[in-house]
Amino acid sequence: MSIDSLRRSASATVSGLPQGFWWLWLSTLVNRTGAFVLTFLSLYLTDALGHSAWFAGLVVALHGLGGVAGSPLGGALTDRWGRRPTMVTMHLAAAASAAALAFVTSAWAIATVVLLMGVAMQAVRPSINATIADMVPAHDVRRAYALNYWALNLGFAIASIGGGAAIFLGYRTLFVVDAVATTLCALIVFLRLPETRPAARTDKAGEPVVEAKVSMLTVLRDAPFRTLVLLNLFVCVVFTAPWIGLPLTMADKGLSPSSYGVVIAVNGIVIVGFQLLVNKLTDKRSPVLLLTLSSLLFALGTGATALAGSSVVAFAATVVVWTVGEMIHVPTNAAATARLAPEHARGRYQGVMGMSWAVAGFVAPIGAGAIVGGPGPNVLWAATFAIGVLAAVGYTVRLRKALDDDLDGDSDTRIGSDSDSDTHSASGSGSAVDAVLEAGPGPGVEPGEGVGDLGSAGKAPVTA
């Protein structure tokens, strides 16, 4: 591919989106460029404050637990308050938490602040995703989510490099910079981003149409969406596992921590360098096809980790495979959520979807660590391969009708429906996958995008 063709592809990828989207994109970039807290939190707790590694892991897990509560909270506020007020409030709350970490030193205070930060950081994501769905034409929504995810990872890469170079200034200085960047993000939203919550609908006589009330329980009764949430939880577990299991596996093979740093850096390099190209290649493709493909790439990439031996190149190759899956899955899943949600409940739908990321960010690190420390790394990678394949089959068998045949349908007709009939493909079901999915959303959904944040890695893949 020539330079000119690459330039044309990049231009086509970023053209045609409303100005408001680019202000939101800029706010995401600014926010993530200053995101130092999660990246350096464990080092701060152990190196600077002398806490144990166990305590550091617990605090990071509390951040994920806060996200489990923050996602539905943010979804409800997004629909009730509006998109912009929710974003501004939660960004400022996250900024206050980051600033507080620069001054509190007691174990209980640190744990409390990090928990509240997890709530605030995850609560803002439903409003961001709902805003994109509000302002961007339906045929460009997946592209917009991909671009916003690119900004998130570009900012994270800058933060990682800049934070590492500036660590000599002290951890507390980095936390203050994080607070300043998040406050600047809130100012961009407040000053430049319009409120996009859809106005109340009216009938032909001009009278307001009474919308069906939507609660979190109502959202979970939407059978196609409930299935989408459960399958995304499977994928999130697979995606989260390498951030804990990969460094432990490489250490078990005798490789140094610096080798792991090189390998995991491939994830950010590939996303920053190739997200626009992947978006161009996958544009206008079937969402079920893309979700199935991404699940298989997660399965193959993580499963192949067991075959990498002690080769750094081989480990890096596995990261490339599941990173491509990540680049396909995150914007496609966010767009699918937007398409299944009625306009007046977009925040709640995005909030429930965000729970799957937050729950995986809390549960998967614990499970991965227990498996590596027990049966061994190979069992972990065999499990992630199996879960990824299960998710791929689930997308194909259970969501083909809802996401492909009915993309132009009225999502309001599904609200509160307990029927699973519209989630089956023409080929029917009855497989082991159906037995798992018929069990409902399960414990990963019920407690209430990420990228909640993957606190263990400092990365937020959460909802695009």
Side-chain angles (χ1 to χ4, degrees), residues 154-170:
L154 179 60
F156 174 76
I158 295 172
S160 299
I161 296 171
I167 198 68
F168 65 91
L169 297 175

Side-chain angles (χ1 to χ4, degrees), residues 96-391:
S97 299
L101 278 179
F103 301 101
V104 299
T105 56
S106 75
W108 282 106
I110 291 171
T112 301
V113 169
V114 171
L115 177 67
L116 294 176
M117 176 181 284
V119 173
M121 289 181 66
Q122 189 63 25
V124 78
R125 305 207 180 281
S127 56
I128 293 173
N129 284 348
T131 299
I132 293 174
D134 292 338
M135 67 170 52
V136 175
H139 62 276
D140 282 331
V141 165
R142 198 195 69 82
R143 177 163 65 99
Y145 283 128
L147 288 169
N148 197 63
Y149 191 62
W150 182 55
L152 188 151
N153 280 278
L154 179 60
F156 174 76
I158 295 172
S160 299
I161 296 171
I167 198 68
F168 65 91
L169 297 175
Y171 293 103
R172 289 185 171 87
T173 301
L174 294 183
F175 296 161
V176 171
V177 172
D178 190 331
V180 171
T182 307
T183 301
L184 179 58
C185 171
L187 285 174
I188 292 173
V189 172
F190 180 75
L191 296 174
R192 305 302 305 179
L193 195 67
E195 175 57 54
T196 63
R197 183 174 56 172
R201 292 190 298 174
T202 58
D203 57 22
K204 293 181 179 179
E207 296 296 325
V209 175
V210 179
E211 303 282 8
K213 291 185 178 180
V214 180
S215 66
M216 290 300 171
L217 183 60
T218 309
V219 174
L220 289 176
R221 286 204 300 262
D222 184 342
F225 180 68
R226 185 176 65 224
T227 302
L228 184 69
V229 170
L230 178 58
L231 292 173
N232 187 65
L233 176 62
F234 289 171
V235 173
C236 291
V237 168
V238 175
F239 175 40
T240 308
W243 299 93
I244 300 298
L246 185 56
L248 297 177
T249 300
M250 294 180 66
D252 186 62
K253 300 294 183 179
L255 297 172
S256 66
S258 61
S259 297
Y260 168 71
V262 171
V263 168
I264 204 61
V266 170
N267 174 259
I269 293 170
V270 170
I271 292 176
V272 172
F274 297 99
Q275 179 73 68
L276 298 183
L277 177 60
V278 169
N279 187 58
K280 178 67 176 178
L281 295 175
T282 56
D283 194 28
K284 313 302 182 187
R285 305 291 183 183
S286 157
V288 168
L289 173 64
L290 294 177
L291 290 170
T292 301
L293 175 61
S294 63
S295 299
L296 291 175
L297 288 171
F298 276 122
L300 292 172
T302 58
T305 307
L307 308 176
S310 58
S311 169
V312 173
V313 174
F315 280 115
T318 67
V319 173
V320 170
V321 174
W322 59 256
T323 297
V324 175
E326 175 188 353
M327 290 190 288
I328 296 172
H329 178 85
V330 172
T332 305
N333 183 73
T337 301
R339 294 303 297 265
L340 291 178
E343 285 187 354
H344 69 288
R346 278 175 176 158
R348 287 179 172 86
Y349 271 65
Q350 294 288 353
V352 171
M353 180 56 71
M355 287 191 307
S356 59
W357 289 100
V359 170
F362 177 69
V363 173
I366 298 174
I371 293 174
V372 171
N378 288 348
V379 175
L380 172 64
W381 306 123
T384 58
F385 176 81
I387 295 171
V389 171
L390 179 67

Side-chain angles (χ1 to χ4, degrees), residues 70-89:
S71 191
L73 172 64
L77 293 178
T78 294
D79 291 334
R80 184 170 298 179
W81 282 4
R83 282 56 163 150
R84 191 173 70 158
T86 302
M87 274 189 269
V88 171
T89 301

Side-chain angles (χ1 to χ4, degrees), residues 414-434:
R414 290 190 308 274
I415 298 301
S417 171
D418 285 315
S419 172
D420 285 332
S421 60
D422 56 347
T423 67
H424 289 266
S425 67
S427 62
S429 60
S431 64
V433 175
D434 294 325

